[in-house]
């Protein structure tokens, strides 16, 4: 039987699952659906010109069809997780090692801290991919051209796979799901409820997908779990196409807008970058183990990993914003104050790396799709 519960906001408690929970989900049982309603003045449009106008967008669309990997068939879910490691005195996560509160934890608590930190990070990927799924589905209706509608439809299927694969990983490896970070929820709400289709493109294809790529790149380089590395590697391939689509589609459109509308969109992009730099720090796990929120934020901001993530983020974001015309003369001083204009002349995603996007998908030595 289906039970539907309407709520005013997302859950705030961690959901945990044991083996019996997982078994129950594979058999007949009552299902509770928790829904939070949002409303948007979405304006859709038909397009009666079915000709292909943008060869790059069509090529990206064809790649999306070609590399439709399957969560159940193309990932080896039997890979063993890395064995839990005892943490010696004075060792631990960067920034926490040596802190009196960390050193006071037992060996089991330190292992649990690491496990929960991984679950918390991947939970944000899951929630973000649900937001991307809904935005992509909106773009099918409101994108103005035939090419963009087709690509948005293919991206919607990509995002559905991403929700599926992160949920499966969290259920099977982590056995828990953390609530969405309030700042991530704020960004998703802004993009989902804004009536302007091009702001949805900017918010999702340039900003949130750029954020995801920075996070995935960090995880791919640092994780010790081969299963997670495989999952993130496949998702990154899809996200690379999505950002390339956004940059190539938006650059002509933005420059044709009146100056005041360009400045509105540039200000939105800047404010979103501030949120992603300063507020997408989750302190739930640290607080569960006795740290204050302020202590956890201070530790994160000082770590090499935190700095590396922010560098990856702006290395992708700033060149793309410049390419599509949102690094305006009025907004440049604000980004200069953040110390990120040094990245403006790096490679942008309008320069598509076709060799990488068209390389065969691999699982170990096995070709998944070519």
């Amino acid at each position: 039987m289906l039970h539907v519960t309407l709520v005013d906001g997302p859950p705030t408690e961690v959901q945990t699952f044991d083996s019996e929970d997982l078994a129950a989900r594979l058999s007949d049982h009552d299902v509770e659906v928790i829904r939070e309603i949002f409303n948007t003045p979405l304006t859709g449009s038909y397009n009666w010109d079915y000709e292909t106008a943008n060869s790059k967008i069509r090529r990206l669309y064809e790649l999306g069809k070609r590399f439709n990997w399957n969560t159940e068939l193309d990932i080896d879910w039997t890979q063993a997780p890395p064995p839990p490691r005892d943490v010696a005195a004075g060792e631990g996560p960067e920034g926490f090692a040596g802190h009196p509160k960390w050193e006071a934890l037992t060996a089991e608590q330190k292992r649990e801290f690491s496990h929960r930190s991984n679950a918390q990070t991947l939970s944000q990927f899951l929630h973000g991919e649900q937001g991307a799924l809904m935005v992509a589905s909106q773009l099918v209706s409101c994108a103005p051209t035939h090419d963009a509608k087709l690509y948005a439809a293919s991206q919607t299927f990509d995002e559905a796979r991403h929700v599926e694969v992160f949920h499966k990983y969290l259920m099977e490896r982590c056995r828990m799901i953390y609530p969405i970070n309030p700042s991530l929820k704020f960004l998703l709400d802004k993009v989902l409820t804004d009536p302007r289709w091009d702001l949805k493109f900017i918010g999702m294809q340039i900003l949130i997908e750029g954020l995801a790529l920075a996070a995935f790149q960090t995880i791919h380089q640092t994780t010790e779990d081969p299963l997670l590395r495989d999952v993130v590697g496949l998702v990154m391939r899809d996200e690379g196409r999505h950002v390339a689509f956004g940059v190539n589609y938006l650059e002509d459109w933005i420059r044709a807008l009146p100056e005041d509308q360009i400045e509105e969109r540039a200000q939105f992009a800047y404010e979103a970058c501030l949120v992603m730099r300063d507020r997408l720090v989750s302190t739930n796990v640290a607080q569960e183990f006795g740290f204050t929120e302020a202590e956890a934020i201070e530790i994160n901001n000082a770590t090499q990993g935190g700095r590396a993530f922010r560098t990856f983020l702006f290395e992708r974001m700033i060149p793309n914003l410049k390419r599509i015309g949102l690094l305006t003369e009025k907004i440049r001083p604000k980004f200069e104050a953040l110390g990120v204009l040094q990245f403006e002349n790096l490679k942008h995603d309008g320069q598509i790396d076709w060799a990488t996007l068209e390389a065969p998908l691999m699982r170990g030595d096995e070709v998944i799709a070519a």
Side-chain angles (χ1 to χ4, degrees):
M1 180 177 296
L2 184 67
H3 303 281
V4 179
T5 302
L6 294 179
V7 296
D8 294 327
T12 58
E13 301 296 325
V14 181
Q15 302 176 65
T16 58
F17 311 95
D18 58 28
S19 299
E20 292 184 0
D21 290 324
L22 297 179
R25 288 167 181 264
L26 300 177
S27 59
D28 293 337
H29 66 293
D30 289 350
V31 176
E32 182 179 22
V33 176
I34 301 175
R35 304 173 66 216
E36 177 189 347
I37 301 298
F38 67 89
N39 294 296
T40 177
L42 183 66
T43 300
S45 64
Y46 290 102
N47 186 286
W48 303 118
D49 179 4
Y50 297 100
E51 295 300 317
T52 298
N54 190 319
S55 60
K56 284 185 179 179
I57 300 303
R58 176 50 66 96
R59 189 172 174 185
L60 289 168
Y61 171 65
E62 291 298 328
L63 286 177
K65 292 193 296 183
R66 198 162 108 201
F67 294 123
N68 260 323
W69 48 273
N70 187 312
T71 297
E72 296 297 331
L73 300 179
D74 297 325
I75 296 173
D76 181 7
W77 293 96
T78 66
Q79 296 178 83
R85 294 190 304 175
D86 286 331
V87 181
E91 296 182 351
E94 185 186 7
F96 289 93
H99 193 288
K101 291 184 179 180
W102 173 261
E103 298 304 331
L105 299 178
T106 67
E108 178 59 33
Q109 286 175 320
K110 290 176 179 178
R111 287 194 295 270
E112 184 65 13
F113 185 102
S114 177
H115 177 75
R116 285 178 171 266
S117 295
N118 188 50
Q120 195 284 324
T121 298
L122 295 174
S123 295
Q124 303 318 304
F125 293 167
L126 171 65
H127 302 314
E129 297 294 353
Q130 183 193 174
L133 170 66
M134 293 190 289
V135 175
S137 69
Q138 289 182 335
L139 292 175
V140 176
S141 294
C142 63
T145 66
H146 174 62
D147 291 330
K149 288 180 183 295
L150 291 185
Y151 189 85
S154 72
Q155 181 174 339
T156 302
F157 189 33
D158 288 345
E159 307 296 1
R161 283 201 312 275
H162 300 173
V163 172
E164 177 189 5
V165 77
F166 282 121
H167 181 254
K168 185 177 177 69
Y169 184 92
L170 282 161
M171 293 292 288
E172 296 199 359
R173 274 288 208 262
C174 301
R175 303 290 176 89
M176 62 181 65
I177 298 176
Y178 273 79
I180 188 170
N181 178 289
S183 296
L184 176 58
K185 177 65 161 49
F186 170 81
L187 285 176
L188 293 177
D189 283 346
K190 174 61 179 172
V191 175
L192 282 164
T193 59
D194 197 283
R196 295 165 289 187
W197 70 266
D198 61 317
L199 192 139
K200 294 181 186 294
F201 265 62
I202 295 165
M204 182 53 60
Q205 307 297 131
I206 307 299
L207 300 175
I208 296 176
E209 298 281 18
L211 169 69
L213 276 171
F216 294 152
Q217 184 176 359
T218 302
I219 293 289
H220 196 261
Q221 291 178 355
T222 60
T223 183
E224 297 179 358
D225 185 353
L227 173 58
L228 181 57
R229 189 178 300 112
D230 289 348
V231 167
V232 170
L234 288 172
V235 173
M236 285 173 64
R237 283 282 294 264
D238 293 343
E239 303 290 18
R241 290 197 311 274
H242 301 168
V243 176
F245 163 58
V247 173
N248 279 279
Y249 194 76
L250 283 168
E251 58 180 325
D252 292 334
W253 175 268
I254 295 294
R255 290 190 173 97
L257 292 174
E259 184 177 352
D260 62 329
Q261 293 187 29
I262 293 176
E263 293 298 340
E264 284 180 6
R265 287 150 178 78
Q267 181 66 25
F268 164 75
Y270 166 73
E271 291 175 359
C273 285
L274 277 184
V275 171
M276 290 187 285
R277 188 195 71 159
D278 297 333
R279 290 165 49 191
L280 285 180
V281 177
S282 294
T283 62
N284 310 54
V285 175
Q287 289 179 270
E288 289 172 351
F289 287 85
F291 292 85
T292 67
E293 181 179 17
E295 287 172 335
I297 291 174
E298 182 181 1
I299 289 171
N300 177 271
N301 289 341
T303 62
Q304 182 179 352
R307 292 192 297 270
F309 168 74
R310 289 188 288 275
T311 298
F312 285 150
L313 173 65
F314 286 109
E315 280 179 347
R316 300 197 73 98
M317 204 78 71
I318 297 302
N320 288 340
L321 290 176
K322 182 176 182 179
R323 178 69 178 188
I324 65 175
L326 294 185
L327 202 59
T328 66
E329 289 306 311
K330 288 184 179 179
I331 214 72
R332 284 180 65 87
K334 297 182 179 182
F335 279 112
E336 186 172 11
L338 298 181
V340 297
L341 285 185
Q342 60 184 302
F343 303 127
E344 66 175 304
N345 294 319
L346 296 181
K347 180 181 176 181
H348 57 76
D349 287 297
Q351 300 169 281
I352 302 174
D353 185 350
W354 292 110
T356 297
L357 293 182
E358 293 178 337
L361 289 185
M362 306 292 292
R363 183 178 67 187
D365 296 328
E366 178 186 357
V367 174
I368 297 172

